[in-house]
Amino acid sequence: MKRLVINGGKKLFGEIEVGGAKNAVLPIIAASLLSSEEVILEDVPDLLDVSIMSQVVCALGGEVARQGHTLRIKAENFDNFEAPFDLITKMRASIVIMGPVLARKGRVRISHPGGCAIGSRPVNWHLKGLESLGAEVRIDHGYLDVSAPKLTGARIYLDFPSVGATENILMAAAAAEGMTIIENAAQEPEIVDLANFINQMGGKIRGAGTNIITVEGVQEFSGTRHTIIPDRIEAGTFILMAAACGGDVLVNNVISTHLAPLLAKLDEAKVQYEELEDGIRVFGNDSYLAVDIKTQVHPGFPTDLQAPFLALLARAKGTAIVTENIFENRFMHVDELKRMGADLKVEGRSVIVQGVPFLNPATLMATDLRAGAALILAALTAPGRSEIWEIQHIDRGYENIETKLRGLGADIERVDE
Ligand code: EPZ
C-alpha cells in the first residue's frame, strides 16, 4: 500500500516549482479532438488524471505521445464516439469530451459519470447547454447518448457558472453554425486558457474570463502549439504549506492575479509574503491570525484551496469560520484533522475552527485530492512521525509532491510496501 511518511515540525527553506494547471490541461486535451492536425502542449503535468484523459482520447481513435512535460496529440483517424466505461468512471472530468466529440462526430456516448467523494456531481447544466445547441440527449442504461447531426449557435443562460458546463458548451459552440452567447459563464483562469487554445486553432471566442462569452462557430480547426498556464491551486497549496511551517520559501511559476483571493486572505491573516516577477516568496515564523473564508466561484475564494486553508487555520490565533458553498460534501479532511488534535466543529456548510498551538502526528487517510493535500500540510507542521494512506488521490493533482517538498527540507518519503 503506497503511503507518505512525514516527520513534521520543521521550517521549510528553498524554491519549489509549480507545474502546468491540471484543470486547464484536461479540457484542452479534450478540445484537441476538434482538429485532425497535430497539437503540441507544453508544461503538461505528469498526473494520473492527465494520463486518463490521454487514454480516453486514444480510445476514441486519437494518438497521444508524452515526452517529459510535452504532449503531442493527433486526432486524425477519429473513428469512435463512445468513451470506455472504465475510464469515465475513473475520472469525472472526462465528461468534457462531450462537446468536442459531438462537434466532430455528431454523436457521443459516455457513461453518466458517477459522483465522487466531494459530492453527487450532476451534469444537468452540461446537457441543457448542449440541447440548446441542437443536441438530443438520451439516457440509456446509465449511458448518456447524445446526438447532434448539426450544432446551431444559441443564447444559453447557465443557472450556475459551472466550470465543466461552460467548457463543454464552449467546445461544442466553437464548431456550431452561427453565434452562441453563454451568459453567467464560469470565469476561472482555466476557461481563459481553454478559449485561447481554441482560438489558436482557428476558433472565434470572445469574453472568456468574464460572465458573458460569445462564440462564432467555425468549420475547420488547425493544429497548434500551446503552453498550459501555471496551476494556481498547486501554487496556492505550496504557499499555504510554507505559511503553516514557517521559514523562507519561493514558489516559482505563479501568475499572482490568479491567486488574488488567496493573497487577500493571507494579508488578513498577517502571513508575510512578497510578490515577485513570476513567483511568491513566503517567509517568517508560523504564527498568523484566524480569518473567515467562504468558497465562491472565481474570482471568489477557490473551493480547491478550502481544505489546505482549513488545515492552516487549525493552528491560527483565534477562531475562524470556513464555509463551503460549491460542493455539498467537501469536509472529508475535518475528521482526519480532528484526529491530530484540531478543534473543529461542522455546522451545516460551515466549520468552526478554534486555533490550537500545535497538531499531533497521526496515521491519516486521504479521501480526495485536496483533502489529501490538507493532511500533508498538517503533518508537515506536527512534530513527529505521520503517515498518509490512499495517496493515489494526491497523485491525481500533484506531480511528485514528496520530491518537491524534500527540496524545501521537508522530511517526507513515499513508502510502497
Ligand atoms: C471543476 O469541476 C474542477 N475540476 C474542480 O476541481 C473544481 O473544484 C470545480 O471546477 C469548481 O471550481 C476540473 O476542472 C477538472 P462545477 P466541475 O461544474 O467542472 C454542481 C480539483 O480538486 N453542478 O463548477 O465539476 C456540482 O455538483 C477539482 O481539482 C451541477 O449541479 O465543477 C458542484 O456542486 C475538484 N450540475 C458545482 O455545481 C452541473 O451540470 C460546481 O461544479 C454541473 C455542476
Side-chain angles (χ1 to χ4, degrees):
M1 170 67 71
K2 278 192 201 141
R3 59 192 196 280
L4 290 175
V5 176
I6 296 170
N7 279 299
K10 302 173 189 298
K11 290 190 185 303
L12 302 178
F13 295 89
E15 292 191 28
I16 192 164
E17 194 72 20
V18 174
K22 166 177 86 80
N23 293 347
V25 71
L26 294 177
I28 284 173
I29 291 173
S32 61
L33 289 168
L34 289 168
S35 173
S36 58
E37 296 177 9
E38 184 177 61
V39 160
I40 298 172
L41 303 177
E42 312 278 8
D43 283 3
V44 174
D46 187 3
L47 299 171
L48 203 51
D49 278 12
V50 172
S51 80
I52 293 172
M53 186 62 93
S54 303
Q55 290 170 58
V56 172
V57 168
C58 293
L60 295 169
E63 295 160 28
V64 182
R66 172 186 278 281
Q67 291 141 332
H69 287 130
T70 300
L71 217 53
R72 305 173 84 92
I73 303 171
K74 193 160 187 190
E76 190 177 12
N77 313 310
F78 183 173
D79 47 13
N80 181 14
F81 58 76
E82 178 164 349
F85 175 81
D86 60 322
L87 292 177
I88 303 303
T89 47
K90 270 187 200 159
M91 183 182 68
R92 295 183 27 72
S94 25
I95 189 79
V96 291
I97 62 153
M98 284 171 61
V101 176
L102 259 189
R104 191 79 187 275
K105 299 295 291 176
R107 187 178 173 195
V108 61
R109 195 169 150 78
I110 179 171
S111 70
H112 196 298
C116 65
I118 60 177
S120 62
R121 313 289 294 274
V123 291
N124 51 316
W125 297 325
H126 296 244
L127 302 178
K128 181 183 162 199
L130 296 175
E131 283 173 330
S132 305
L133 296 170
E136 188 195 325
V137 176
R138 276 190 320 111
I139 297 183
D140 150 38
H141 297 87
Y143 271 79
L144 294 169
D145 197 323
V146 185
S147 52
K150 181 166 177 275
L151 288 167
T152 310
R155 188 182 194 102
I156 299 167
Y157 179 84
L158 280 174
D159 298 352
F160 176 87
S162 151
V163 172
T166 302
E167 291 167 346
N168 249 329
I169 295 165
L170 198 55
M171 290 187 272
E177 190 176 290
M179 290 295 282
T180 296
I181 297 177
I182 308 172
E183 293 177 308
N184 198 24
Q187 304 179 52
E188 275 71 5
E190 293 76 28
I191 304 274
V192 177
D193 205 27
L194 172 63
N196 290 341
F197 171 71
I198 295 172
N199 285 345
Q200 280 174 226
M201 290 200 290
K204 291 181 180 170
I205 299 170
R206 299 285 174 270
T210 73
N211 61 356
I212 297 183
I213 302 177
T214 55
V215 188
E216 185 184 338
V218 298
Q219 293 314 304
E220 285 299 311
F221 293 90
S222 65
T224 189
R225 179 187 286 269
H226 180 79
T227 299
I228 304 297
I229 55 169
D231 192 319
R232 62 190 167 104
I233 305 300
E234 185 189 23
T237 305
F238 292 146
I239 289 167
L240 288 166
M241 288 173 175
C245 295
D248 192 334
V249 172
L250 174 57
V251 181
N252 271 327
N253 193 27
V254 174
I255 300 174
S256 293
T257 48
H258 291 175
L259 280 170
L262 173 69
L263 298 179
K265 283 296 165 184
L266 294 183
D267 289 338
E268 268 183 65
K270 302 278 183 273
V271 167
Q272 292 177 288
Y273 70 89
E274 193 186 356
E275 284 186 57
L276 304 172
E277 183 65 27
D278 73 341
I280 301 278
R281 177 181 162 240
V282 185
F283 52 93
N285 55 25
D286 57 341
S287 78
Y288 42 82
L289 305 178
V291 292
D292 295 344
I293 58 166
K294 295 179 191 309
T295 65
Q296 295 295 346
V297 296
H298 195 75
F301 189 92
T303 172
D304 293 347
L305 287 179
Q306 177 260 109
F309 202 99
L310 193 150
L312 175 81
L313 291 171
R315 292 175 56 245
K317 291 186 178 7
T319 304
I321 298 181
V322 174
T323 305
E324 172 56 56
N325 292 311
I326 305 296
F327 288 101
E328 70 263 30
N329 182 32
R330 206 170 195 178
F331 288 142
M332 310 280 275
H333 42 293
V334 167
D335 286 340
E336 292 301 285
L337 292 172
K338 285 165 77 171
R339 292 178 56 238
M340 299 177 82
D343 182 347
L344 308 174
K345 190 170 181 331
V346 179
E347 295 276 352
R349 298 196 78 116
S350 296
V351 178
I352 299 163
V353 186
Q354 303 269 8
V356 294
F358 58 87
L359 296 176
N360 305 306
T363 298
L364 305 157
M365 191 74 82
T367 50
D368 61 273
L369 168 60
R370 309 302 177 187
L375 298 184
I376 294 177
L377 183 150
L380 286 172
T381 69
R385 187 181 192 278
S386 293
E387 292 191 7
I388 299 175
W389 291 54
E390 303 296 325
I391 56 172
Q392 68 277 8
H393 294 291
I394 300 169
D395 292 335
R396 298 188 57 162
Y398 295 95
E399 181 180 350
N400 294 333
I401 192 161
E402 74 277 8
T403 312
K404 290 189 177 184
L405 289 172
R406 259 206 303 278
L408 298 178
D411 180 346
I412 176 172
E413 61 171 332
R414 181 180 291 253
V415 173
D416 188 356
E417 63 198 26

